[in-house]
Amino acid sequence: MIRISIAASVVAILVAGCVSSQPRAVPAASGGSAKRIVRDSAQLILPDGTRVNPDSTGGFELPNGDYVKRDPGGALILPTGARCLPDQGGYLCP
């Protein structure tokens, strides 16, 4: 009986902690905000902070296995077909 009471108390505390915690507000991205891929020496830093090494063509593999191509004009072509245009220090993506 004591074990059941202790187990019920622990569950109640855990549930109360989950219910009482307020969700943190995540800043909403404005409709016109673009993401940047930043050049850091020989690496590129993706918007999520992942670092990748471009290959000899200027393209690179994403962590999920998809490949980002570089077109002759220097833009990056994402797997979705979106183009990231080169600018100072990296690329500006839609």
Side-chain angles (χ1 to χ4, degrees), residues 12-48:
I13 291 170
L14 291 174
V15 170
C18 292
V19 172
S20 67
S21 64
Q22 296 288 330
R24 295 183 184 182
V26 176
S30 64
S33 70
K35 297 179 181 176
R36 290 193 38 79
I37 297 175
V38 178
R39 181 167 298 283
D40 183 24
S41 187
Q43 291 186 322
L44 296 174
I45 304 171
L46 304 180
D48 69 354

Side-chain angles (χ1 to χ4, degrees), residues 1-15:
M1 188 60 122
I2 293 176
R3 289 181 186 170
I4 294 173
S5 296
I6 292 173
S9 298
V10 168
V11 169
I13 291 170
L14 291 174
V15 170

